[in-house]
Amino acid sequence: MERRMTPVQDFRPRHFVLAAGGTGGHMVPAAALATELTKRGHRVALVSDARGVRFPGLFEGVQTHVIPAGRFAGGPLGWAKAARLMMQGRAMAAELYRTFKPAAVIGFGGYPAYPALSAAFAAGIRTAVHEQNAVLGRVNRLVAGKVDAIATSYAETERLRPRHSGKAHHVGNPVRESVLALRAKPYPLLDEDSIFRVLVTGGSQGASVLSQVVPEGLAMLPVAFRRRLQVTHQARIEDIDAARETYARLEIAADLATYLPDLPEQLGWAHVVIARAGASTIAELTAAGRPAILVPLPSATDDHQTANAREITRAGGARTIAQSAFTPSELAKQMQKLGLDPEALQNAAARARACGTPEAASDLADLVESLDSPASRLPIGRVQQRKAFA
């Protein structure tokens, strides 16, 4: 079900707190929302863990706060420690709210979001959560009954209970402006003689399996195709030397790094991306319109990466290979199907682009502003109310 409303004209500058766990999947959309809210004249503060506040370039100029948050693991002793840390984090968040006086607190998942939201519930502050994955995460499931709104990235979101459908809104997953800008640029020119650029990325954590399989798989391509390759590969620090030696031995042109600060630029040049299926990766692929070979992380909670890859794969913008089937020969087969037909590649790029949600940051900001609007307690602008999936 879709509901469109006339935007409520409420231009009051307000304070908002964003709470996110310290991985790229949580931090990137939070940063995109922070940028949009700041543009609208609001003041934003970030609550995260020590990892989150160290992400380079994401929250420049934003007030940041580190709070403790434990993972409920390790048996009774681990649970007791986690509960103690959560209570400390909640107290620190409550003190922040006393001085910062936020109009609303928005959680992006991850354990640091829970004490921040819990303190907001106790203080009577309006709340929302944003779910980046196609499966509602643990913290978001835990607070779903108490928050005022649930923003989803996918039209079909698993583990979202039917009784919460009235406050669930499909807005998409916000990406950085530098990635969104790629949407206005054409797919890189490609003919049978031009350089074929491949981007390999395992997300902010890297992925050992990509370093082990990709070089050997690309080496199995026909010689004429292989000589055209230019690979940019983000690898884990413990894998990078071995991967570099393999590319050199196989005479495949490759640049390797443990971190790609110019990832949007690399994505803009890429003809094919080989990657995990994390939420931010999928959002960036669909924003830019780049075909991909996706290898979901099998240990991801609730197998959410396989769910993330479903929409773009069904649309024809990507090919998904389970890690258990991700062998050099399978990769070579899929690369030939994509890479030897420039028209098919362009078609896949267009299909990936069609899955994008370029207005995600704006729609999410509309929803967040509406939480504290005296004119309406309902979502505004282009926000869509969606059907819930159990």
Side-chain angles (χ1 to χ4, degrees):
M1 175 182 176
E2 179 177 330
R3 179 175 61 195
R4 296 180 182 274
M5 302 179 62
T6 302
V8 177
Q9 300 300 308
D10 184 1
F11 301 114
R12 296 172 297 126
R14 281 158 280 171
H15 292 183
F16 294 100
V17 170
L18 311 186
T23 65
H26 300 309
M27 302 302 291
V28 169
L33 177 61
T35 297
E36 179 66 23
L37 290 173
T38 301
K39 282 183 179 178
R40 299 184 183 195
H42 304 301
R43 187 177 172 192
V44 176
L46 169 71
V47 170
S48 187
D49 55 22
R51 298 173 303 162
V53 299
R54 289 199 295 264
F55 267 81
L58 285 186
F59 287 91
E60 293 179 359
V62 173
Q63 178 181 334
T64 58
H65 301 267
V66 175
I67 65 172
R71 295 176 61 90
F72 287 93
L77 289 177
W79 301 337
K81 180 181 178 180
R84 187 164 58 250
L85 291 173
M86 288 287 185
M87 292 303 296
Q88 293 175 7
R90 173 174 165 163
M92 293 173 67
E95 178 60 21
L96 169 63
Y97 303 160
R98 187 183 67 80
T99 57
F100 191 69
K101 301 188 185 306
V105 176
I106 301 88
F108 285 82
Y111 286 98
Y114 182 75
L117 288 166
S118 179
F121 299 150
I125 299 169
R126 303 283 287 183
T127 55
V129 292
H130 178 269
E131 178 56 58
Q132 300 86 51
N133 293 300
V135 181
L136 202 66
R138 288 177 178 174
V139 169
N140 285 349
R141 290 202 299 269
L142 188 61
V143 301
K146 293 184 178 181
V147 296
D148 297 294
I150 301 169
T152 69
S153 297
Y154 292 84
E156 298 182 13
T157 303
E158 300 173 15
R159 304 294 295 270
L160 179 61
R161 295 183 178 180
R163 67 173 179 266
H164 300 144
S165 62
K167 54 184 174 182
H169 310 275
H170 176 213
V171 301
N173 194 6
V175 299
R176 293 169 287 181
E177 289 183 333
S178 54
V179 173
L180 192 58
L182 299 175
R183 196 170 180 84
K185 298 180 180 180
Y187 182 73
L189 290 175
L190 183 66
D191 58 43
E192 60 184 20
D193 297 318
S194 60
I195 293 174
F196 191 98
R197 294 182 176 87
V198 180
L199 174 62
V200 184
T201 174
S204 61
Q205 305 294 319
S208 291
V209 69
L210 299 184
S211 297
Q212 295 160 6
V213 172
V214 172
E216 300 287 353
L218 296 182
M220 298 176 70
L221 294 171
V223 174
F225 188 10
R226 189 170 70 239
R227 287 175 177 170
R228 294 168 52 205
L229 295 177
Q230 175 61 59
V231 180
T232 299
H233 188 136
Q234 180 238 342
R236 297 172 67 95
I237 191 168
E238 59 266 35
D239 302 324
I240 193 167
D241 290 338
R244 184 178 286 116
E245 290 174 5
T246 303
Y247 279 119
R249 173 173 54 84
L250 298 171
E251 299 182 344
I252 296 173
D255 294 321
L256 290 92
T258 56
Y259 175 69
L260 298 174
D262 59 344
L263 180 61
E265 182 179 353
Q266 297 290 346
L267 183 62
W269 282 107
H271 294 106
V272 167
V273 178
I274 303 172
R276 287 297 197 191
S280 288
T281 297
I282 301 295
E284 291 174 348
L285 290 170
T286 57
R290 293 296 180 271
I293 294 173
L294 301 172
V295 187
L297 176 66
S299 61
T301 305
D302 299 315
D303 197 22
H304 67 253
Q305 288 204 1
T306 297
N308 290 349
R310 195 168 294 140
E311 181 182 24
I312 187 175
T313 302
R314 286 175 178 170
R319 296 168 185 264
T320 297
I321 306 173
Q323 182 164 312
S324 59
F326 186 60
T327 62
S329 59
E330 180 62 23
L331 174 61
K333 181 173 71 174
Q334 298 300 332
M335 280 292 295
Q336 286 188 75
K337 287 181 178 179
L338 280 172
L340 295 179
D341 186 348
E343 186 175 341
L345 262 182
Q346 293 224 14
N347 183 52
R351 290 173 179 267
R353 188 179 186 278
C355 295
T357 51
E359 302 292 340
S362 178
D363 285 352
L364 182 56
D366 285 349
L367 178 60
V368 167
E369 286 183 327
S370 77
L371 294 171
D372 186 54
S373 171
S376 174
R377 288 300 188 189
L378 296 173
I380 60 177
R382 293 175 296 276
V383 176
Q384 302 171 2
Q385 184 176 8
R386 55 172 300 283
K387 179 181 178 181
F389 289 79

